[in-house]
PDB file of all heavy atoms in Angstrom:
ATOM      1  N   PHE A 392       6.696 -39.362  -6.021  1.00 96.00           N
ATOM      2  CA  PHE A 392       5.271 -39.005  -6.052  1.00 96.00           C
ATOM      3  C   PHE A 392       4.809 -38.660  -4.660  1.00 96.00           C
ATOM      4  O   PHE A 392       4.101 -37.702  -4.416  1.00 96.00           O
ATOM      5  CB  PHE A 392       4.525 -40.155  -6.737  1.00 96.00           C
ATOM      6  CG  PHE A 392       3.118 -40.282  -6.271  1.00 96.00           C
ATOM      7  CD1 PHE A 392       2.155 -39.522  -6.796  1.00 96.00           C
ATOM      8  CD2 PHE A 392       2.769 -41.208  -5.263  1.00 96.00           C
ATOM      9  CE1 PHE A 392       0.828 -39.652  -6.421  1.00 96.00           C
ATOM     10  CE2 PHE A 392       1.429 -41.319  -4.779  1.00 96.00           C
ATOM     11  CZ  PHE A 392       0.459 -40.499  -5.374  1.00 96.00           C
ATOM     12  N   ILE A 393       5.190 -39.532  -3.653  1.00 97.00           N
ATOM     13  CA  ILE A 393       4.779 -39.253  -2.301  1.00 97.00           C
ATOM     14  C   ILE A 393       5.227 -37.924  -1.845  1.00 97.00           C
ATOM     15  O   ILE A 393       4.445 -37.151  -1.318  1.00 97.00           O
ATOM     16  CB  ILE A 393       5.347 -40.389  -1.398  1.00 97.00           C
ATOM     17  CG1 ILE A 393       4.631 -41.726  -1.718  1.00 97.00           C
ATOM     18  CG2 ILE A 393       5.231 -39.977   0.090  1.00 97.00           C
ATOM     19  CD1 ILE A 393       5.240 -42.988  -0.959  1.00 97.00           C
ATOM     20  N   PHE A 394       6.484 -37.625  -2.064  1.00 97.00           N
ATOM     21  CA  PHE A 394       6.957 -36.333  -1.649  1.00 97.00           C
ATOM     22  C   PHE A 394       6.300 -35.118  -2.422  1.00 97.00           C
ATOM     23  O   PHE A 394       6.019 -34.117  -1.843  1.00 97.00           O
ATOM     24  CB  PHE A 394       8.464 -36.256  -1.704  1.00 97.00           C
ATOM     25  CG  PHE A 394       9.222 -37.024  -0.687  1.00 97.00           C
ATOM     26  CD1 PHE A 394      10.114 -38.069  -1.071  1.00 97.00           C
ATOM     27  CD2 PHE A 394       8.989 -36.825   0.591  1.00 97.00           C
ATOM     28  CE1 PHE A 394      10.822 -38.761  -0.054  1.00 97.00           C
ATOM     29  CE2 PHE A 394       9.588 -37.583   1.624  1.00 97.00           C
ATOM     30  CZ  PHE A 394      10.469 -38.495   1.300  1.00 97.00           C
ATOM     31  N   GLY A 395       6.035 -35.427  -3.705  1.00 96.00           N
ATOM     32  CA  GLY A 395       5.348 -34.463  -4.534  1.00 96.00           C
ATOM     33  C   GLY A 395       3.952 -34.130  -3.861  1.00 96.00           C
ATOM     34  O   GLY A 395       3.511 -32.987  -3.774  1.00 96.00           O
ATOM     35  N   VAL A 396       3.202 -35.171  -3.412  1.00 97.00           N
ATOM     36  CA  VAL A 396       1.891 -35.038  -2.781  1.00 97.00           C
ATOM     37  C   VAL A 396       2.141 -34.194  -1.479  1.00 97.00           C
ATOM     38  O   VAL A 396       1.232 -33.341  -1.201  1.00 97.00           O
ATOM     39  CB  VAL A 396       1.258 -36.375  -2.524  1.00 97.00           C
ATOM     40  CG1 VAL A 396       0.007 -36.231  -1.683  1.00 97.00           C
ATOM     41  CG2 VAL A 396       0.872 -37.021  -3.808  1.00 97.00           C
ATOM     42  N   HIS A 397       3.236 -34.485  -0.703  1.00 97.00           N
ATOM     43  CA  HIS A 397       3.407 -33.754   0.443  1.00 97.00           C
ATOM     44  C   HIS A 397       3.520 -32.248   0.142  1.00 97.00           C
ATOM     45  O   HIS A 397       2.945 -31.401   0.817  1.00 97.00           O
ATOM     46  CB  HIS A 397       4.716 -34.229   1.164  1.00 97.00           C
ATOM     47  CG  HIS A 397       4.483 -35.404   2.019  1.00 97.00           C
ATOM     48  ND1 HIS A 397       5.334 -36.496   1.955  1.00 97.00           N
ATOM     49  CD2 HIS A 397       3.586 -35.685   3.006  1.00 97.00           C
ATOM     50  CE1 HIS A 397       4.947 -37.415   2.867  1.00 97.00           C
ATOM     51  NE2 HIS A 397       3.825 -36.918   3.496  1.00 97.00           N
ATOM     52  N   LEU A 398       4.298 -31.908  -0.894  1.00 97.00           N
ATOM     53  CA  LEU A 398       4.512 -30.515  -1.255  1.00 97.00           C
ATOM     54  C   LEU A 398       3.200 -29.878  -1.706  1.00 97.00           C
ATOM     55  O   LEU A 398       2.889 -28.769  -1.246  1.00 97.00           O
ATOM     56  CB  LEU A 398       5.545 -30.372  -2.388  1.00 97.00           C
ATOM     57  CG  LEU A 398       6.991 -30.761  -2.005  1.00 97.00           C
ATOM     58  CD1 LEU A 398       7.936 -30.212  -3.116  1.00 97.00           C
ATOM     59  CD2 LEU A 398       7.394 -30.214  -0.674  1.00 97.00           C
ATOM     60  N   MET A 399       2.437 -30.613  -2.554  1.00 97.00           N
ATOM     61  CA  MET A 399       1.148 -30.053  -2.983  1.00 97.00           C
ATOM     62  C   MET A 399       0.307 -29.797  -1.755  1.00 97.00           C
ATOM     63  O   MET A 399      -0.522 -28.832  -1.670  1.00 97.00           O
ATOM     64  CB  MET A 399       0.336 -31.034  -3.844  1.00 97.00           C
ATOM     65  CG  MET A 399       0.917 -31.215  -5.203  1.00 97.00           C
ATOM     66  SD  MET A 399       0.159 -32.743  -5.892  1.00 97.00           S
ATOM     67  CE  MET A 399       1.480 -33.302  -6.861  1.00 97.00           C
ATOM     68  N   GLY A 400       0.336 -30.695  -0.804  1.00 97.00           N
ATOM     69  CA  GLY A 400      -0.514 -30.508   0.420  1.00 97.00           C
ATOM     70  C   GLY A 400      -0.145 -29.341   1.205  1.00 97.00           C
ATOM     71  O   GLY A 400      -1.006 -28.518   1.636  1.00 97.00           O
ATOM     72  N   ILE A 401       1.163 -29.078   1.303  1.00 97.00           N
ATOM     73  CA  ILE A 401       1.628 -27.910   2.040  1.00 97.00           C
ATOM     74  C   ILE A 401       1.119 -26.672   1.293  1.00 97.00           C
ATOM     75  O   ILE A 401       0.612 -25.701   1.903  1.00 97.00           O
ATOM     76  CB  ILE A 401       3.180 -27.834   2.145  1.00 97.00           C
ATOM     77  CG1 ILE A 401       3.694 -29.043   2.914  1.00 97.00           C
ATOM     78  CG2 ILE A 401       3.707 -26.511   2.659  1.00 97.00           C
ATOM     79  CD1 ILE A 401       5.238 -29.220   2.961  1.00 97.00           C
ATOM     80  N   SER A 402       1.205 -26.695  -0.014  1.00 97.00           N
ATOM     81  CA  SER A 402       0.824 -25.491  -0.754  1.00 97.00           C
ATOM     82  C   SER A 402      -0.695 -25.266  -0.652  1.00 97.00           C
ATOM     83  O   SER A 402      -1.203 -24.180  -0.336  1.00 97.00           O
ATOM     84  CB  SER A 402       1.073 -25.778  -2.271  1.00 97.00           C
ATOM     85  OG  SER A 402       0.264 -25.009  -3.082  1.00 97.00           O
ATOM     86  N   SER A 403      -1.511 -26.359  -0.714  1.00 97.00           N
ATOM     87  CA  SER A 403      -2.947 -26.240  -0.600  1.00 97.00           C
ATOM     88  C   SER A 403      -3.331 -25.731   0.791  1.00 97.00           C
ATOM     89  O   SER A 403      -4.319 -24.929   0.897  1.00 97.00           O
ATOM     90  CB  SER A 403      -3.651 -27.555  -0.870  1.00 97.00           C
ATOM     91  OG  SER A 403      -3.520 -28.030  -2.130  1.00 97.00           O
ATOM     92  N   ILE A 404      -2.711 -26.293   1.810  1.00 97.00           N
ATOM     93  CA  ILE A 404      -3.120 -25.839   3.185  1.00 97.00           C
ATOM     94  C   ILE A 404      -2.754 -24.427   3.390  1.00 97.00           C
ATOM     95  O   ILE A 404      -3.643 -23.628   3.954  1.00 97.00           O
ATOM     96  CB  ILE A 404      -2.409 -26.745   4.216  1.00 97.00           C
ATOM     97  CG1 ILE A 404      -3.052 -28.172   4.153  1.00 97.00           C
ATOM     98  CG2 ILE A 404      -2.574 -26.193   5.612  1.00 97.00           C
ATOM     99  CD1 ILE A 404      -2.170 -29.218   4.944  1.00 97.00           C
ATOM    100  N   MET A 405      -1.617 -23.932   2.944  1.00 97.00           N
ATOM    101  CA  MET A 405      -1.234 -22.504   3.109  1.00 97.00           C
ATOM    102  C   MET A 405      -2.249 -21.617   2.307  1.00 97.00           C
ATOM    103  O   MET A 405      -2.691 -20.594   2.818  1.00 97.00           O
ATOM    104  CB  MET A 405       0.163 -22.207   2.672  1.00 97.00           C
ATOM    105  CG  MET A 405       1.157 -22.838   3.631  1.00 97.00           C
ATOM    106  SD  MET A 405       2.799 -22.149   3.398  1.00 97.00           S
ATOM    107  CE  MET A 405       3.201 -22.751   1.865  1.00 97.00           C
ATOM    108  N   GLY A 406      -2.589 -22.050   1.080  1.00 97.00           N
ATOM    109  CA  GLY A 406      -3.531 -21.342   0.289  1.00 97.00           C
ATOM    110  C   GLY A 406      -4.876 -21.219   0.947  1.00 97.00           C
ATOM    111  O   GLY A 406      -5.514 -20.181   1.004  1.00 97.00           O
ATOM    112  N   ALA A 407      -5.360 -22.341   1.613  1.00 97.00           N
ATOM    113  CA  ALA A 407      -6.616 -22.406   2.190  1.00 97.00           C
ATOM    114  C   ALA A 407      -6.672 -21.514   3.434  1.00 97.00           C
ATOM    115  O   ALA A 407      -7.657 -20.766   3.673  1.00 97.00           O
ATOM    116  CB  ALA A 407      -6.970 -23.842   2.543  1.00 97.00           C
ATOM    117  N   ILE A 408      -5.557 -21.590   4.245  1.00 98.00           N
ATOM    118  CA  ILE A 408      -5.553 -20.699   5.463  1.00 98.00           C
ATOM    119  C   ILE A 408      -5.626 -19.297   5.007  1.00 98.00           C
ATOM    120  O   ILE A 408      -6.387 -18.493   5.616  1.00 98.00           O
ATOM    121  CB  ILE A 408      -4.234 -20.992   6.196  1.00 98.00           C
ATOM    122  CG1 ILE A 408      -4.239 -22.399   6.871  1.00 98.00           C
ATOM    123  CG2 ILE A 408      -3.991 -19.916   7.292  1.00 98.00           C
ATOM    124  CD1 ILE A 408      -2.948 -22.732   7.527  1.00 98.00           C
ATOM    125  N   ASN A 409      -4.887 -18.960   3.932  1.00 97.00           N
ATOM    126  CA  ASN A 409      -4.929 -17.557   3.463  1.00 97.00           C
ATOM    127  C   ASN A 409      -6.345 -17.089   3.082  1.00 97.00           C
ATOM    128  O   ASN A 409      -6.784 -16.045   3.425  1.00 97.00           O
ATOM    129  CB  ASN A 409      -3.993 -17.451   2.283  1.00 97.00           C
ATOM    130  CG  ASN A 409      -3.350 -16.122   2.219  1.00 97.00           C
ATOM    131  OD1 ASN A 409      -3.749 -15.151   2.973  1.00 97.00           O
ATOM    132  ND2 ASN A 409      -2.352 -15.902   1.347  1.00 97.00           N
ATOM    133  N   VAL A 410      -7.043 -17.944   2.309  1.00 97.00           N
ATOM    134  CA  VAL A 410      -8.452 -17.601   1.965  1.00 97.00           C
ATOM    135  C   VAL A 410      -9.317 -17.378   3.183  1.00 97.00           C
ATOM    136  O   VAL A 410     -10.076 -16.393   3.249  1.00 97.00           O
ATOM    137  CB  VAL A 410      -8.981 -18.707   1.037  1.00 97.00           C
ATOM    138  CG1 VAL A 410     -10.509 -18.484   0.871  1.00 97.00           C
ATOM    139  CG2 VAL A 410      -8.335 -18.649  -0.293  1.00 97.00           C
ATOM    140  N   ILE A 411      -9.303 -18.343   4.105  1.00 97.00           N
ATOM    141  CA  ILE A 411     -10.227 -18.269   5.217  1.00 97.00           C
ATOM    142  C   ILE A 411      -9.864 -16.989   6.008  1.00 97.00           C
ATOM    143  O   ILE A 411     -10.766 -16.251   6.405  1.00 97.00           O
ATOM    144  CB  ILE A 411     -10.019 -19.454   6.129  1.00 97.00           C
ATOM    145  CG1 ILE A 411     -10.561 -20.739   5.473  1.00 97.00           C
ATOM    146  CG2 ILE A 411     -10.869 -19.285   7.501  1.00 97.00           C
ATOM    147  CD1 ILE A 411     -10.825 -21.855   6.361  1.00 97.00           C
ATOM    148  N   VAL A 412      -8.585 -16.694   6.299  1.00 97.00           N
ATOM    149  CA  VAL A 412      -8.237 -15.569   7.073  1.00 97.00           C
ATOM    150  C   VAL A 412      -8.614 -14.281   6.391  1.00 97.00           C
ATOM    151  O   VAL A 412      -9.169 -13.382   6.934  1.00 97.00           O
ATOM    152  CB  VAL A 412      -6.734 -15.577   7.455  1.00 97.00           C
ATOM    153  CG1 VAL A 412      -6.292 -14.322   8.108  1.00 97.00           C
ATOM    154  CG2 VAL A 412      -6.403 -16.768   8.304  1.00 97.00           C
ATOM    155  N   THR A 413      -8.382 -14.268   5.001  1.00 96.00           N
ATOM    156  CA  THR A 413      -8.784 -13.114   4.272  1.00 96.00           C
ATOM    157  C   THR A 413     -10.292 -12.788   4.419  1.00 96.00           C
ATOM    158  O   THR A 413     -10.724 -11.724   4.626  1.00 96.00           O
ATOM    159  CB  THR A 413      -8.379 -13.263   2.774  1.00 96.00           C
ATOM    160  OG1 THR A 413      -7.069 -13.602   2.677  1.00 96.00           O
ATOM    161  CG2 THR A 413      -8.741 -12.056   1.967  1.00 96.00           C
TER     162      THR A 413
END
Side-chain angles (χ1 to χ4, degrees):
Chain A
F392 153 81
I393 288 171
F394 287 124
V396 170
H397 277 131
L398 293 195
M399 289 167 214
I401 294 171
S402 157
S403 294
I404 290 168
M405 288 198 295
I408 289 175
N409 212 349
V410 167
I411 294 196
V412 173
T413 306

